[in-house]
mmCIF file of all heavy atoms in Angstrom:
data_model
loop_
_atom_site.group_PDB
_atom_site.id
_atom_site.type_symbol
_atom_site.label_atom_id
_atom_site.label_comp_id
_atom_site.label_asym_id
_atom_site.label_seq_id
_atom_site.Cartn_x
_atom_site.Cartn_y
_atom_site.Cartn_z
ATOM 1 N N GLU O 1 12.864 13.837 -0.879
ATOM 2 C CA GLU O 1 13.043 13.176 -2.168
ATOM 3 C C GLU O 1 14.371 12.442 -2.103
ATOM 4 O O GLU O 1 15.403 13.031 -1.780
ATOM 5 C CB GLU O 1 13.056 14.184 -3.317
ATOM 6 C CG GLU O 1 11.693 14.769 -3.626
ATOM 7 C CD GLU O 1 11.712 15.630 -4.880
ATOM 8 O OE1 GLU O 1 12.743 15.632 -5.587
ATOM 9 O OE2 GLU O 1 10.695 16.300 -5.149
ATOM 10 N N ILE O 2 14.344 11.155 -2.377
ATOM 11 C CA ILE O 2 15.551 10.337 -2.261
ATOM 12 C C ILE O 2 16.244 10.245 -3.622
ATOM 13 O O ILE O 2 15.611 10.395 -4.667
ATOM 14 C CB ILE O 2 15.219 8.928 -1.743
ATOM 15 C CG1 ILE O 2 14.217 8.221 -2.664
ATOM 16 C CG2 ILE O 2 14.693 8.994 -0.314
ATOM 17 C CD1 ILE O 2 13.923 6.791 -2.266
ATOM 18 N N PRO O 3 17.552 10.021 -3.641
ATOM 19 C CA PRO O 3 18.257 9.856 -4.926
ATOM 20 C C PRO O 3 17.784 8.600 -5.648
ATOM 21 O O PRO O 3 17.456 7.593 -5.017
ATOM 22 C CB PRO O 3 19.725 9.754 -4.504
ATOM 23 C CG PRO O 3 19.703 9.342 -3.070
ATOM 24 C CD PRO O 3 18.458 9.939 -2.495
ATOM 25 N N GLY O 4 17.715 8.673 -6.968
ATOM 26 C CA GLY O 4 17.264 7.528 -7.754
ATOM 27 C C GLY O 4 15.787 7.248 -7.595
ATOM 28 O O GLY O 4 15.353 6.112 -7.816
ATOM 29 N N ARG O 5 15.002 8.256 -7.261
ATOM 30 C CA ARG O 5 13.583 8.031 -6.943
ATOM 31 C C ARG O 5 12.805 7.450 -8.121
ATOM 32 O O ARG O 5 11.828 6.727 -7.928
ATOM 33 C CB ARG O 5 12.942 9.331 -6.451
ATOM 34 C CG ARG O 5 12.858 10.438 -7.465
ATOM 35 C CD ARG O 5 12.608 11.798 -6.797
ATOM 36 N NE ARG O 5 11.450 11.822 -5.936
ATOM 37 C CZ ARG O 5 10.308 12.467 -6.254
ATOM 38 N NH1 ARG O 5 10.197 13.086 -7.423
ATOM 39 N NH2 ARG O 5 9.322 12.491 -5.411
ATOM 40 N N ASP O 6 13.223 7.739 -9.378
ATOM 41 C CA ASP O 6 12.502 7.199 -10.534
ATOM 42 C C ASP O 6 12.531 5.673 -10.547
ATOM 43 O O ASP O 6 11.553 5.027 -10.931
ATOM 44 C CB ASP O 6 13.098 7.745 -11.831
ATOM 45 C CG ASP O 6 12.805 9.234 -12.019
ATOM 46 O OD1 ASP O 6 11.904 9.743 -11.321
ATOM 47 O OD2 ASP O 6 13.492 9.873 -12.834
ATOM 48 N N LEU O 7 13.649 5.095 -10.105
ATOM 49 C CA LEU O 7 13.750 3.639 -10.065
ATOM 50 C C LEU O 7 12.805 3.056 -9.006
ATOM 51 O O LEU O 7 12.160 2.025 -9.229
ATOM 52 C CB LEU O 7 15.188 3.230 -9.769
ATOM 53 C CG LEU O 7 16.226 3.538 -10.871
ATOM 54 C CD1 LEU O 7 17.630 3.265 -10.365
ATOM 55 C CD2 LEU O 7 15.929 2.701 -12.106
ATOM 56 N N TYR O 8 12.722 3.733 -7.858
ATOM 57 C CA TYR O 8 11.821 3.261 -6.801
ATOM 58 C C TYR O 8 10.361 3.438 -7.226
ATOM 59 O O TYR O 8 9.509 2.589 -6.917
ATOM 60 C CB TYR O 8 12.098 4.011 -5.497
ATOM 61 C CG TYR O 8 13.456 3.717 -4.919
ATOM 62 C CD1 TYR O 8 14.546 4.530 -5.197
ATOM 63 C CD2 TYR O 8 13.658 2.600 -4.099
ATOM 64 C CE1 TYR O 8 15.800 4.260 -4.680
ATOM 65 C CE2 TYR O 8 14.908 2.317 -3.574
ATOM 66 C CZ TYR O 8 15.985 3.149 -3.876
ATOM 67 O OH TYR O 8 17.231 2.863 -3.351
ATOM 68 N N PHE O 9 10.071 4.520 -7.941
ATOM 69 C CA PHE O 9 8.707 4.744 -8.425
ATOM 70 C C PHE O 9 8.334 3.686 -9.471
ATOM 71 O O PHE O 9 7.179 3.248 -9.542
ATOM 72 C CB PHE O 9 8.578 6.141 -9.024
ATOM 73 C CG PHE O 9 8.400 7.215 -7.987
ATOM 74 C CD1 PHE O 9 8.675 6.976 -6.650
ATOM 75 C CD2 PHE O 9 7.965 8.474 -8.350
ATOM 76 C CE1 PHE O 9 8.517 7.969 -5.689
ATOM 77 C CE2 PHE O 9 7.792 9.479 -7.401
ATOM 78 C CZ PHE O 9 8.074 9.215 -6.067
ATOM 79 N N SER O 10 9.303 3.274 -10.284
ATOM 80 C CA SER O 10 9.053 2.219 -11.264
ATOM 81 C C SER O 10 8.710 0.909 -10.553
ATOM 82 O O SER O 10 7.793 0.187 -10.961
ATOM 83 C CB SER O 10 10.293 2.039 -12.154
ATOM 84 O OG SER O 10 10.125 0.952 -13.031
ATOM 85 N N ALA O 11 9.443 0.622 -9.465
ATOM 86 C CA ALA O 11 9.131 -0.577 -8.674
ATOM 87 C C ALA O 11 7.755 -0.454 -8.038
ATOM 88 O O ALA O 11 6.982 -1.423 -7.989
ATOM 89 C CB ALA O 11 10.203 -0.768 -7.604
ATOM 90 N N ALA O 12 7.417 0.760 -7.571
ATOM 91 C CA ALA O 12 6.122 0.972 -6.938
ATOM 92 C C ALA O 12 4.982 0.739 -7.921
ATOM 93 O O ALA O 12 3.935 0.166 -7.573
ATOM 94 C CB ALA O 12 6.051 2.388 -6.370
ATOM 95 N N GLU O 13 5.170 1.162 -9.170
ATOM 96 C CA GLU O 13 4.119 0.975 -10.170
ATOM 97 C C GLU O 13 3.824 -0.506 -10.391
ATOM 98 O O GLU O 13 2.670 -0.906 -10.563
ATOM 99 C CB GLU O 13 4.531 1.645 -11.475
ATOM 100 C CG GLU O 13 4.472 3.172 -11.412
ATOM 101 C CD GLU O 13 5.062 3.829 -12.647
ATOM 102 O OE1 GLU O 13 5.440 3.085 -13.587
ATOM 103 O OE2 GLU O 13 5.147 5.062 -12.674
ATOM 104 N N ARG O 14 4.862 -1.331 -10.407
ATOM 105 C CA ARG O 14 4.643 -2.775 -10.564
ATOM 106 C C ARG O 14 3.793 -3.336 -9.421
ATOM 107 O O ARG O 14 2.882 -4.131 -9.651
ATOM 108 C CB ARG O 14 5.979 -3.514 -10.611
ATOM 109 C CG ARG O 14 6.790 -3.293 -11.857
ATOM 110 C CD ARG O 14 7.905 -4.323 -11.941
ATOM 111 N NE ARG O 14 8.814 -4.040 -13.035
ATOM 112 C CZ ARG O 14 9.849 -4.828 -13.364
ATOM 113 N NH1 ARG O 14 10.087 -5.929 -12.662
ATOM 114 N NH2 ARG O 14 10.651 -4.502 -14.372
ATOM 115 N N ILE O 15 4.107 -2.908 -8.217
ATOM 116 C CA ILE O 15 3.369 -3.402 -7.054
ATOM 117 C C ILE O 15 1.932 -2.892 -7.083
ATOM 118 O O ILE O 15 0.974 -3.648 -6.849
ATOM 119 C CB ILE O 15 4.066 -2.975 -5.748
ATOM 120 C CG1 ILE O 15 5.470 -3.597 -5.649
ATOM 121 C CG2 ILE O 15 3.219 -3.367 -4.532
ATOM 122 C CD1 ILE O 15 5.501 -5.111 -5.659
ATOM 123 N N GLU O 16 1.738 -1.631 -7.395
ATOM 124 C CA GLU O 16 0.393 -1.043 -7.386
ATOM 125 C C GLU O 16 -0.496 -1.665 -8.450
ATOM 126 O O GLU O 16 -1.700 -1.866 -8.237
ATOM 127 C CB GLU O 16 0.505 0.475 -7.585
ATOM 128 C CG GLU O 16 1.103 1.178 -6.376
ATOM 129 C CD GLU O 16 1.518 2.608 -6.654
ATOM 130 O OE1 GLU O 16 1.340 3.081 -7.801
ATOM 131 O OE2 GLU O 16 2.036 3.260 -5.726
ATOM 132 N N GLN O 17 0.081 -1.993 -9.602
ATOM 133 C CA GLN O 17 -0.702 -2.639 -10.653
ATOM 134 C C GLN O 17 -1.181 -4.023 -10.252
ATOM 135 O O GLN O 17 -2.210 -4.490 -10.741
ATOM 136 C CB GLN O 17 0.131 -2.732 -11.939
ATOM 137 C CG GLN O 17 0.360 -1.384 -12.620
ATOM 138 C CD GLN O 17 1.375 -1.459 -13.753
ATOM 139 O OE1 GLN O 17 1.864 -2.544 -14.090
ATOM 140 N NE2 GLN O 17 1.701 -0.300 -14.317
ATOM 141 N N ALA O 18 -0.442 -4.669 -9.334
ATOM 142 C CA ALA O 18 -0.825 -6.015 -8.880
ATOM 143 C C ALA O 18 -1.627 -5.982 -7.585
ATOM 144 O O ALA O 18 -1.850 -7.016 -6.955
ATOM 145 C CB ALA O 18 0.435 -6.863 -8.676
ATOM 146 N N SER O 19 -2.085 -4.768 -7.176
ATOM 147 C CA SER O 19 -2.729 -4.604 -5.864
ATOM 148 C C SER O 19 -4.146 -4.052 -5.988
ATOM 149 O O SER O 19 -4.548 -3.174 -5.227
ATOM 150 C CB SER O 19 -1.885 -3.678 -4.982
ATOM 151 O OG SER O 19 -0.558 -4.110 -4.881
ATOM 152 N N ALA O 20 -4.904 -4.573 -6.955
ATOM 153 C CA ALA O 20 -6.272 -4.084 -7.148
ATOM 154 C C ALA O 20 -7.122 -4.315 -5.901
ATOM 155 O O ALA O 20 -7.877 -3.438 -5.472
ATOM 156 C CB ALA O 20 -6.905 -4.772 -8.346
ATOM 157 N N GLU O 21 -7.012 -5.495 -5.284
ATOM 158 C CA GLU O 21 -7.800 -5.811 -4.092
ATOM 159 C C GLU O 21 -6.954 -5.742 -2.821
ATOM 160 O O GLU O 21 -7.380 -5.204 -1.809
ATOM 161 C CB GLU O 21 -8.421 -7.202 -4.229
ATOM 162 C CG GLU O 21 -9.448 -7.294 -5.367
ATOM 163 C CD GLU O 21 -10.111 -8.646 -5.423
ATOM 164 O OE1 GLU O 21 -9.814 -9.494 -4.546
ATOM 165 O OE2 GLU O 21 -10.916 -8.870 -6.347
ATOM 166 N N LYS O 22 -5.784 -6.315 -2.887
ATOM 167 C CA LYS O 22 -4.886 -6.258 -1.730
ATOM 168 C C LYS O 22 -3.453 -6.343 -2.217
ATOM 169 O O LYS O 22 -3.189 -6.758 -3.349
ATOM 170 C CB LYS O 22 -5.190 -7.374 -0.736
ATOM 171 C CG LYS O 22 -4.930 -8.784 -1.265
ATOM 172 C CD LYS O 22 -5.191 -9.820 -0.173
ATOM 173 C CE LYS O 22 -4.828 -11.221 -0.668
ATOM 174 N NZ LYS O 22 -5.024 -12.242 0.383
ATOM 175 N N PHE O 23 -2.535 -5.979 -1.352
ATOM 176 C CA PHE O 23 -1.126 -6.031 -1.716
ATOM 177 C C PHE O 23 -0.690 -7.481 -1.908
ATOM 178 O O PHE O 23 -1.203 -8.393 -1.240
ATOM 179 C CB PHE O 23 -0.268 -5.386 -0.634
ATOM 180 C CG PHE O 23 -0.322 -3.882 -0.625
ATOM 181 C CD1 PHE O 23 -0.762 -3.195 0.496
ATOM 182 C CD2 PHE O 23 0.079 -3.145 -1.734
ATOM 183 C CE1 PHE O 23 -0.810 -1.806 0.518
ATOM 184 C CE2 PHE O 23 0.045 -1.758 -1.726
ATOM 185 C CZ PHE O 23 -0.406 -1.081 -0.605
ATOM 186 N N PRO O 24 0.289 -7.719 -2.805
ATOM 187 C CA PRO O 24 0.802 -9.083 -2.973
ATOM 188 C C PRO O 24 1.482 -9.594 -1.701
ATOM 189 O O PRO O 24 1.939 -8.814 -0.868
ATOM 190 C CB PRO O 24 1.828 -8.938 -4.105
ATOM 191 C CG PRO O 24 1.538 -7.632 -4.762
ATOM 192 C CD PRO O 24 0.928 -6.756 -3.713
ATOM 193 N N ALA O 25 1.537 -10.913 -1.568
ATOM 194 C CA ALA O 25 2.298 -11.509 -0.474
ATOM 195 C C ALA O 25 3.784 -11.225 -0.678
ATOM 196 O O ALA O 25 4.208 -10.795 -1.764
ATOM 197 C CB ALA O 25 2.045 -13.005 -0.415
ATOM 198 N N LYS O 26 4.572 -11.449 0.354
ATOM 199 C CA LYS O 26 5.989 -11.097 0.307
ATOM 200 C C LYS O 26 6.703 -11.768 -0.857
ATOM 201 O O LYS O 26 7.456 -11.128 -1.600
ATOM 202 C CB LYS O 26 6.654 -11.475 1.633
ATOM 203 C CG LYS O 26 8.126 -11.107 1.719
ATOM 204 C CD LYS O 26 8.702 -11.440 3.085
ATOM 205 C CE LYS O 26 10.178 -11.056 3.164
ATOM 206 N NZ LYS O 26 10.755 -11.345 4.499
ATOM 207 N N GLU O 27 6.486 -13.076 -1.032
ATOM 208 C CA GLU O 27 7.179 -13.815 -2.094
ATOM 209 C C GLU O 27 6.784 -13.296 -3.468
ATOM 210 O O GLU O 27 7.632 -13.075 -4.343
ATOM 211 C CB GLU O 27 6.876 -15.307 -1.986
ATOM 212 C CG GLU O 27 7.394 -15.967 -0.713
ATOM 213 C CD GLU O 27 6.532 -15.670 0.510
ATOM 214 O OE1 GLU O 27 5.417 -15.120 0.348
ATOM 215 O OE2 GLU O 27 6.980 -15.959 1.634
ATOM 216 N N GLN O 28 5.476 -13.064 -3.674
ATOM 217 C CA GLN O 28 5.000 -12.567 -4.955
ATOM 218 C C GLN O 28 5.535 -11.167 -5.237
ATOM 219 O O GLN O 28 5.932 -10.847 -6.360
ATOM 220 C CB GLN O 28 3.473 -12.564 -4.986
ATOM 221 C CG GLN O 28 2.880 -12.104 -6.307
ATOM 222 C CD GLN O 28 1.371 -11.967 -6.249
ATOM 223 O OE1 GLN O 28 0.748 -12.271 -5.226
ATOM 224 N NE2 GLN O 28 0.765 -11.508 -7.344
ATOM 225 N N GLY O 29 5.569 -10.331 -4.197
ATOM 226 C CA GLY O 29 6.067 -8.974 -4.368
ATOM 227 C C GLY O 29 7.525 -8.945 -4.782
ATOM 228 O O GLY O 29 7.929 -8.157 -5.652
ATOM 229 N N ASN O 30 8.338 -9.801 -4.170
ATOM 230 C CA ASN O 30 9.750 -9.841 -4.527
ATOM 231 C C ASN O 30 9.963 -10.368 -5.941
ATOM 232 O O ASN O 30 10.901 -9.947 -6.637
ATOM 233 C CB ASN O 30 10.523 -10.690 -3.513
ATOM 234 C CG ASN O 30 10.831 -9.923 -2.237
ATOM 235 O OD1 ASN O 30 11.356 -8.822 -2.275
ATOM 236 N ND2 ASN O 30 10.470 -10.491 -1.087
ATOM 237 N N LEU O 31 9.087 -11.273 -6.399
ATOM 238 C CA LEU O 31 9.161 -11.734 -7.784
ATOM 239 C C LEU O 31 8.862 -10.594 -8.752
ATOM 240 O O LEU O 31 9.512 -10.453 -9.797
ATOM 241 C CB LEU O 31 8.172 -12.883 -8.008
ATOM 242 C CG LEU O 31 8.569 -14.255 -7.454
ATOM 243 C CD1 LEU O 31 7.430 -15.251 -7.620
ATOM 244 C CD2 LEU O 31 9.834 -14.772 -8.156
ATOM 245 N N LEU O 32 7.879 -9.757 -8.401
ATOM 246 C CA LEU O 32 7.525 -8.626 -9.259
ATOM 247 C C LEU O 32 8.667 -7.620 -9.393
ATOM 248 O O LEU O 32 8.778 -6.924 -10.406
ATOM 249 C CB LEU O 32 6.286 -7.911 -8.698
ATOM 250 C CG LEU O 32 4.953 -8.665 -8.801
ATOM 251 C CD1 LEU O 32 3.873 -7.945 -7.991
ATOM 252 C CD2 LEU O 32 4.525 -8.762 -10.263
ATOM 253 N N LEU O 33 9.515 -7.546 -8.366
ATOM 254 C CA LEU O 33 10.605 -6.556 -8.377
ATOM 255 C C LEU O 33 11.907 -7.095 -8.954
ATOM 256 O O LEU O 33 12.915 -6.375 -8.980
ATOM 257 C CB LEU O 33 10.861 -6.052 -6.953
ATOM 258 C CG LEU O 33 9.711 -5.310 -6.272
ATOM 259 C CD1 LEU O 33 10.153 -4.762 -4.925
ATOM 260 C CD2 LEU O 33 9.191 -4.180 -7.152
ATOM 261 N N GLN O 34 11.890 -8.348 -9.409
ATOM 262 C CA GLN O 34 13.116 -8.923 -9.960
ATOM 263 C C GLN O 34 13.612 -8.097 -11.151
ATOM 264 O O GLN O 34 12.831 -7.688 -12.013
ATOM 265 C CB GLN O 34 12.876 -10.368 -10.406
ATOM 266 C CG GLN O 34 12.958 -11.358 -9.267
ATOM 267 C CD GLN O 34 12.930 -12.797 -9.752
ATOM 268 O OE1 GLN O 34 12.567 -13.066 -10.887
ATOM 269 N NE2 GLN O 34 13.307 -13.721 -8.882
ATOM 270 N N GLY O 35 14.892 -7.822 -11.166
ATOM 271 C CA GLY O 35 15.492 -7.078 -12.266
ATOM 272 C C GLY O 35 15.594 -5.585 -12.024
ATOM 273 O O GLY O 35 16.305 -4.887 -12.755
ATOM 274 N N ILE O 36 14.871 -5.065 -11.014
ATOM 275 C CA ILE O 36 14.971 -3.632 -10.713
ATOM 276 C C ILE O 36 16.031 -3.431 -9.638
ATOM 277 O O ILE O 36 15.971 -4.043 -8.567
ATOM 278 C CB ILE O 36 13.626 -3.061 -10.237
ATOM 279 C CG1 ILE O 36 12.529 -3.295 -11.277
ATOM 280 C CG2 ILE O 36 13.755 -1.570 -9.948
ATOM 281 C CD1 ILE O 36 11.188 -2.719 -10.889
ATOM 282 N N LYS O 37 16.986 -2.582 -9.932
ATOM 283 C CA LYS O 37 18.067 -2.310 -8.975
ATOM 284 C C LYS O 37 18.157 -0.811 -8.704
ATOM 285 O O LYS O 37 17.719 0.010 -9.514
ATOM 286 C CB LYS O 37 19.401 -2.837 -9.508
ATOM 287 C CG LYS O 37 19.428 -4.346 -9.719
ATOM 288 C CD LYS O 37 20.800 -4.809 -10.159
ATOM 289 C CE LYS O 37 20.826 -6.313 -10.424
ATOM 290 N NZ LYS O 37 20.570 -7.098 -9.204
ATOM 291 N N ASP O 38 18.726 -0.475 -7.536
ATOM 292 C CA ASP O 38 18.903 0.938 -7.218
ATOM 293 C C ASP O 38 20.124 1.473 -7.968
ATOM 294 O O ASP O 38 20.841 0.708 -8.648
ATOM 295 C CB ASP O 38 19.002 1.129 -5.697
ATOM 296 C CG ASP O 38 20.288 0.570 -5.096
ATOM 297 O OD1 ASP O 38 21.213 0.209 -5.852
ATOM 298 O OD2 ASP O 38 20.375 0.487 -3.855
ATOM 299 N N PRO O 39 20.408 2.771 -7.900
ATOM 300 C CA PRO O 39 21.542 3.334 -8.667
ATOM 301 C C PRO O 39 22.895 2.740 -8.313
ATOM 302 O O PRO O 39 23.861 2.933 -9.070
ATOM 303 C CB PRO O 39 21.493 4.827 -8.304
ATOM 304 C CG PRO O 39 20.072 5.101 -7.937
ATOM 305 C CD PRO O 39 19.609 3.844 -7.254
ATOM 306 N N TRP O 40 22.991 2.029 -7.203
ATOM 307 C CA TRP O 40 24.262 1.435 -6.789
ATOM 308 C C TRP O 40 24.316 -0.065 -7.073
ATOM 309 O O TRP O 40 25.206 -0.755 -6.611
ATOM 310 C CB TRP O 40 24.502 1.718 -5.304
ATOM 311 C CG TRP O 40 24.546 3.187 -5.025
ATOM 312 C CD1 TRP O 40 25.642 4.004 -5.070
ATOM 313 C CD2 TRP O 40 23.430 4.028 -4.723
ATOM 314 N NE1 TRP O 40 25.288 5.298 -4.812
ATOM 315 C CE2 TRP O 40 23.928 5.355 -4.590
ATOM 316 C CE3 TRP O 40 22.062 3.801 -4.559
ATOM 317 C CZ2 TRP O 40 23.105 6.432 -4.302
ATOM 318 C CZ3 TRP O 40 21.246 4.879 -4.268
ATOM 319 C CH2 TRP O 40 21.752 6.179 -4.144
ATOM 320 N N GLY O 41 23.329 -0.556 -7.828
ATOM 321 C CA GLY O 41 23.322 -1.954 -8.241
ATOM 322 C C GLY O 41 22.729 -2.915 -7.236
ATOM 323 O O GLY O 41 22.865 -4.134 -7.390
#
């Protein structure tokens, strides 16, 4: 279990919600994660 895991799980939920058929492309995935930061900013 890594520190700040809730933040990473929140990021994972965004990706999983957009992955009904396949995972998003790299650019799209990074757009989905905009605004989420780890505990160290």
Side-chain angles (χ1 to χ4, degrees):
E1 287 187 9
I2 58 176
R5 65 197 305 252
D6 290 344
L7 292 172
Y8 294 94
F9 280 15
S10 175
E13 287 172 4
R14 290 194 187 183
I15 297 300
E16 290 167 0
Q17 289 170 4
S19 306
E21 295 184 3
K22 65 177 184 178
F23 285 120
K26 182 177 180 179
E27 296 77 11
Q28 182 186 357
N30 280 309
L31 284 174
L32 290 170
L33 297 185
Q34 278 189 344
I36 303 182
K37 298 184 182 296
D38 69 11
W40 300 271

